[in-house]
């Protein structure tokens, strides 16, 4: 192994993008293949101490800085990493996506893009300006590109462009890169030398809610059933697993791949809900023959996706069940031995906010190839 190239990670969370950095040239979905170790996260930052506990449990060599990035100086970040300006090869990170997520649109300030956390994009620009890495990767929810947030997104691009990085952006579908999840994320990538970054071509294809066109020359999307293959069967069902209460019986009656709309006048269930009266994820069940929908970071008690199989409660009733941690890891294309700190709700919040590993790897591989650090065959 040669000299490891240093990376500064901002808004690190549980470390999805950090994992992609350190395993950039590992074989797809090969849990024991950690890659050549070309890149190494030297410092990771986040305001959430629990997330950084998860990160340090999986990245023993990474140093961390806990705190509000608006109060953390670039000098502190560089000093913790043991680096000087221009020494980081990459700055990576995904500013908290809540201000730009569709799930927040019920709040007027989010619809009008007045969320104060949107200023965290400016902090990302500040750190890139002060550290002068060879390149950067910024990741966020697709909502950042919506017209509602046009001013913030354009300010981000102008700020990075003004530094000479020629930022390029694109919304990528995780399933198109071997992730068993129909999650769309925007990536913004720029190079210090001003050369244009070319995004990686998809390796997989299948139909989604936006397009039913399928490229038969590519590998089919990985389904939820394929993702769960080899996982141990349920040893015991806990109360935490069971979808019960007000809508417990209704959820249990919904077929795989359907949601609350099953129980409207237009489908075969009970006529219980008005048509399109809830979010799509309400009482949503996984379809074993398709990739999962987006894993929600902060789901309510009736927000899926739930597993397609029912379980039997102690009283003998059939109920839908929530996804278990090992299943959520598979849907994020994370290794099975990835350790996550906190309660089950903490785990889902950390994974729901993370970058799916194989999607992150595809972007990092492409960038490192174009910078000349990886052979193109490895990046393909």
């Amino acid at each position: 192994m040669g000299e490891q190239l240093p990376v500064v990670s901002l808004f690190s969370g549980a470390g999805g993008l950090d994992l992609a950095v350190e395993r950039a040239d590992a074989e797809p979905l090969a849990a024991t293949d950690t890659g050549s170790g070309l890149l190494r996260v030297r410092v990771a930052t986040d305001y959430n101490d629990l997330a950084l506990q998860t990160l340090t449990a999986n990245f023993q060599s990474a140093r961390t800085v806990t705190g509000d990035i608006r109060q953390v100086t670039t000098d502190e970040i560089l000093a913790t990493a043991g680096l000087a300006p221009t020494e980081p090869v990459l700055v990576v990170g995904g500013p908290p996506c809540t201000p730009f997520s569709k799930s927040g649109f019920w709040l007027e300030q989010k619809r009008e893009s007045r969320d104060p956390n949107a200023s965290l994009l400016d902090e990302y620009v500040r750190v890139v300006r002060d550290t002068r890495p060879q390149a950067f990767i910024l990741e966020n929810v697709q909502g950042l590109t919506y017209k509602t947030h046009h001013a913030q997104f354009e300010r981000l691009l102008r700020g990075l462009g003004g530094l000479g990085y020629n930022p390029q952006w694109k919304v990528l579908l995780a399933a198109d890169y071997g992730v068993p999840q129909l999650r769309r994320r925007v990536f913004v990538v720029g190079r210090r030398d001003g050369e244009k970054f070319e995004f990686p071509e998809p390796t997989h294809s299948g139909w989604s809610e936006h397009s039913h066109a399928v490229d038969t020359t590519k590998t089919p999307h990985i389904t939820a059933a394929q993702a769960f293959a080899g996982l141990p069967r349920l040893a015991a069902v806990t109360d935490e697993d069971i979808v019960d209460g007000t809508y417990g019986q209704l959820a249990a009656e919904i077929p795989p791949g359907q949601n609350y709309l099953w129980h409207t006048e237009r489908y075969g269930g009970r006529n219980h809900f008005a048509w399109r009266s809830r979010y799509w994820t309400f009482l949503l069940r996984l379809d074993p023959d398709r990739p999962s929908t987006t894993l929600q970071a902060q789901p309510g008690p009736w927000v899926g996706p739930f597993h397609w199989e029912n379980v039997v409660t102690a009283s003998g009733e059939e109920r839908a069940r929530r996804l278990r941690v090992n299943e959520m890891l598979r849907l994020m294309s994370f290794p099975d031995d990835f350790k996550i700190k906190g309660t089950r709700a903490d785990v889902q919040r950390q994974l729901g906010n993370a970058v799916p590993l194989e999607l992150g790897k595809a972007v990092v591989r492409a960038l490192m190839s174009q910078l000349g650090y990886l052979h193109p065959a490895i990046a393909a």
Side-chain angles (χ1 to χ4, degrees):
M1 182 186 300
E3 180 183 1
Q4 294 180 308
L5 304 174
V7 177
V8 170
S9 172
L10 308 176
F11 312 102
S12 307
L17 197 48
D18 303 61
L19 198 63
V21 162
E22 297 205 352
R23 299 190 179 202
D25 59 343
E27 285 296 314
L29 299 177
T32 58
D33 183 358
T34 58
S36 65
L38 173 68
L39 296 164
R40 180 66 62 195
V41 174
R42 292 282 287 272
V43 61
T45 70
D46 203 278
Y47 75 98
N48 188 303
D49 185 63
L50 187 62
L52 287 183
Q53 289 179 38
T54 291
L55 190 140
T56 54
N58 298 280
F59 303 85
Q60 285 79 14
S61 63
R63 300 172 182 175
T64 61
V65 175
T66 306
D68 186 333
I69 193 67
R70 291 168 290 194
Q71 308 301 322
V72 177
T73 67
T74 308
D75 286 343
E76 181 182 355
I77 294 171
L78 287 172
T80 303
L83 297 171
T86 74
E87 287 187 340
V89 170
L90 299 180
V91 166
V92 302
C97 60
T98 306
F100 316 112
S101 173
K102 285 192 295 185
S103 63
F105 273 27
W106 62 277
L107 293 173
E108 183 179 359
Q109 67 171 7
K110 293 189 186 298
R111 288 197 305 273
E112 297 180 2
S113 207
R114 291 188 283 112
D115 193 305
N117 288 329
S119 66
L120 296 177
L121 295 172
D122 299 324
E123 300 302 323
Y124 189 99
V125 175
R126 182 256 300 178
V127 175
V128 171
R129 181 192 68 220
D130 295 346
T131 58
R132 299 294 298 170
Q134 286 189 36
F136 69 82
I137 299 173
L138 183 147
E139 173 272 344
N140 214 291
V141 293
Q142 182 182 7
L144 176 59
T145 67
Y146 293 170
K147 183 178 180 180
T148 307
H149 306 299
H150 177 78
Q152 281 80 3
F153 193 42
E154 285 300 312
R155 187 172 73 244
L156 170 70
L157 297 177
R158 284 197 307 270
L160 294 167
L163 301 176
Y165 279 84
N166 188 18
Q168 305 296 311
W169 68 272
K170 190 172 186 179
V171 174
L172 304 180
L173 177 63
D176 286 348
Y177 297 88
V179 178
Q181 189 178 165
L182 295 168
R183 174 187 292 242
R184 294 180 184 274
R185 307 292 281 196
V186 62
F187 285 82
V188 184
V189 184
R191 297 172 49 162
R192 188 173 64 200
D193 60 12
E195 291 293 321
K196 181 181 178 181
F197 171 71
E198 300 290 343
F199 281 91
E201 285 295 314
T203 54
H204 294 64
S205 182
W207 64 272
S208 69
E209 70 276 17
H210 293 287
S211 173
H212 283 200
V214 177
D215 186 343
T216 57
T217 66
K218 300 185 186 303
T219 303
H221 282 167
I222 298 174
T223 68
Q226 289 173 322
F228 293 168
L231 288 177
R233 299 291 295 177
L234 288 173
V237 178
T238 68
D239 290 342
E240 195 175 52
D241 295 324
I242 298 171
V243 181
D244 209 347
T246 305
Y247 302 110
Q249 183 62 42
L250 293 174
E253 295 171 2
I254 294 174
Q258 300 288 340
N259 62 2
Y260 80 96
L261 292 174
W262 181 254
H263 291 302
T264 64
E265 62 181 3
R266 302 192 189 188
Y267 281 86
R270 309 184 194 192
N271 185 10
H272 186 90
F273 299 105
W275 181 253
R276 292 187 176 175
S277 60
R278 306 289 178 119
Y279 281 112
W280 175 257
T281 51
F282 192 77
L283 303 186
L284 178 64
R285 307 291 297 271
L286 282 179
D287 183 339
D289 298 322
R290 300 202 61 228
S292 170
T293 54
T294 298
L295 187 67
Q296 302 290 309
Q298 295 179 306
W302 316 115
V303 173
F306 304 128
H307 201 280
W308 60 86
E309 292 181 349
N310 284 337
V311 293
V312 178
T313 67
S315 59
E317 297 175 303
E318 279 200 3
R319 289 291 182 265
R321 76 163 174 87
R322 306 181 196 283
L323 298 177
R324 289 192 159 184
V325 174
N326 59 0
E327 294 167 336
M328 289 189 282
L329 286 171
R330 289 285 182 91
L331 294 181
M332 293 296 293
S333 63
F334 274 38
D336 290 343
D337 61 354
F338 193 83
K339 306 174 187 67
I340 309 179
K341 301 295 183 179
T343 65
R344 186 196 178 284
D346 293 326
V347 169
Q348 181 152 353
R349 181 168 56 254
Q350 291 175 66
L351 286 176
N353 284 325
V355 180
L357 174 57
E358 293 301 327
L359 176 60
K361 281 168 57 179
V363 176
V364 177
R365 274 199 311 269
L367 177 57
M368 296 310 290
S369 174
Q370 292 169 42
L371 289 173
Y373 289 107
L374 280 178
H375 190 278
I378 297 175

